[in-house]
Amino acid sequence: MTNDLGAIDLNSGLALFNRAEFFEAHEALEDLWREAQFGSPVRRHLQGLVQLAVAFHHESCQNFVGARSVLDRALRNLKGAEESFAFLDLDHLRAVLSR
């Protein structure tokens, strides 16, 4: 993210995700997605993070069909996200999720 507030918000959303608070992570990340420039790669990559949180939320509610559907879209939207989020280990994430 280009400004400090965005970075703080992103860190908050990621912290919620890492604590398995997936619904709350989705809400926090979605706020950033709404603020991102329409059509930008960052916006698409944020959408992937939002969808990833939604997929994990569905999985935690045992909605495995919904989780798989959203996960597939999340992974598509996270292609190339290293450009937007170089600090995230997206290769490791993809490897874990492919299992």
Side-chain angles (χ1 to χ4, degrees):
M1 300 301 297
T2 58
N3 63 43
D4 291 336
L5 182 59
I8 292 167
D9 291 345
L10 178 61
N11 288 337
S12 297
L14 294 174
L16 288 164
F17 185 92
N18 288 333
R19 289 194 309 263
E21 297 178 39
F22 302 120
F23 183 82
E24 293 80 3
H26 147 265
E27 293 288 315
L29 294 167
E30 192 172 60
D31 288 343
L32 284 173
W33 171 78
R34 283 189 190 105
E35 295 174 15
Q37 181 181 355
F38 186 78
S40 70
V42 169
R43 184 176 169 98
R44 181 171 41 86
H45 299 148
L46 282 167
Q47 183 176 15
L49 291 176
V50 169
Q51 290 167 324
L52 190 61
V54 170
F56 275 75
H57 176 70
H58 282 316
E59 191 273 337
S60 73
C61 296
Q62 299 186 1
N63 176 0
F64 302 116
V65 173
R68 184 74 225 181
S69 172
V70 178
L71 180 61
D72 289 341
R73 286 181 277 151
L75 291 174
R76 280 195 302 271
N77 283 323
L78 286 171
K79 285 187 181 171
E82 293 79 4
E83 296 173 23
S84 299
F85 311 120
F87 56 92
L88 294 179
D89 189 353
L90 294 168
D91 287 336
H92 177 72
L93 175 69
R94 290 182 190 104
V96 168
L97 293 175
S98 70
R99 295 184 227 151

